[in-house]
Amino acid sequence: MPPRNHQLTMSNLKGYVGQINEITNEENNYKLKTAPDTNIKLLCRAAKCLSNAGDIKNMNIAIEFYTKAYETQSEIRGLNHTRTLDILKTIIQCENKLEKMKKNRLNTIQRNLEANMQDEAEKKEQEEKKEKKKQKKEKKKKEQEEMTNSDDEKK
C-alpha cells in the first residue's frame, strides 16, 4: 500500500480548518470541543499554509488565524510565555510580508501604467512618421505629374 501524503495544502485546508471549533454528533446528542492546545496547533498550521500561498487575501486570513492562536495561548499560558511570544513574532513577520506584497503590487501597477503610456507614445510617433512619409510620397507624385505635364506642354 502506498504511503499517504499528510501534508497540508490549499486544496485540503477547508476540511482541516473545520476540525478547529466543535465536533458534534446529533445521534447521541453530545458536543465535544477540541482542547485549546489542539486548537492552537491547528490554527498555526493552517495559518502557516495560508501565509506560504503568497497572496494578499490568504495572508490576511493567516494573520487572523495567528491572532486567534495568540489570544488562546495568552489565556492559557500568559502574555510573557515563550510560546505566546513566538506566535506574536510570527504575526509581525506575516504583517511585514503583507506590507511588502502591497508595495510590490503598487509598484507593479505603476510600472504597467508607465509601460502602457510609453507604448502609446511610441505608437503615436510611428503614426506621425507614417503620415510624414505619405505626405512626402504625395509631394513626389505631384512633382512628377507636374514634370510630365510640363514636358507634354513643351512638346
Side-chain angles (χ1 to χ4, degrees), residues 48-110:
K48 184 176 180 183
C49 177
L50 287 167
S51 67
N52 290 337
D55 64 344
I56 293 173
K57 178 184 169 188
N58 288 329
M59 188 61 76
N60 284 327
I61 297 170
I63 291 172
E64 288 178 24
F65 283 172
Y66 277 128
T67 305
K68 287 179 186 177
Y70 173 75
E71 290 170 358
T72 307
Q73 191 74 270
S74 62
E75 287 174 10
I76 296 171
R77 293 190 170 79
L79 294 173
N80 292 328
H81 194 271
T82 55
R83 290 183 186 178
T84 308
L85 295 175
D86 283 343
I87 295 174
L88 185 61
K89 182 183 86 174
T90 310
I91 292 171
I92 293 169
Q93 288 173 348
C94 284
E95 288 174 347
N96 291 339
K97 247 186 188 180
L98 183 63
E99 288 300 317
K100 273 186 178 179
M101 285 181 193
K102 287 180 180 179
K103 283 182 183 178
N104 287 340
R105 185 176 180 202
L106 289 174
N107 289 339
T108 303
I109 291 170
Q110 191 174 25

Side-chain angles (χ1 to χ4, degrees), residues 37-50:
D37 285 333
T38 306
N39 276 346
I40 293 168
K41 182 179 99 174
L42 295 174
L43 284 168
C44 288
R45 189 166 178 216
K48 184 176 180 183
C49 177
L50 287 167

Side-chain angles (χ1 to χ4, degrees), residues 87-149:
I87 295 174
L88 185 61
K89 182 183 86 174
T90 310
I91 292 171
I92 293 169
Q93 288 173 348
C94 284
E95 288 174 347
N96 291 339
K97 247 186 188 180
L98 183 63
E99 288 300 317
K100 273 186 178 179
M101 285 181 193
K102 287 180 180 179
K103 283 182 183 178
N104 287 340
R105 185 176 180 202
L106 289 174
N107 289 339
T108 303
I109 291 170
Q110 191 174 25
R111 274 187 263 127
N112 288 342
L113 288 174
E114 289 173 0
N116 288 340
M117 291 174 68
Q118 285 179 347
D119 290 343
E120 289 175 7
E122 289 174 2
K123 285 179 184 179
K124 285 181 183 179
E125 287 177 10
Q126 289 176 356
E127 289 175 4
E128 290 174 0
K129 287 180 182 178
K130 286 180 183 179
E131 287 294 322
K132 287 181 181 179
K133 285 182 181 179
K134 285 181 183 178
Q135 290 175 355
K136 285 182 181 179
K137 285 182 182 179
E138 288 176 4
K139 282 183 182 179
K140 284 183 181 179
K141 284 183 183 179
K142 286 181 183 178
E143 289 175 2
Q144 287 177 354
E145 287 177 3
E146 288 177 4
M147 293 288 279
T148 55
N149 288 341

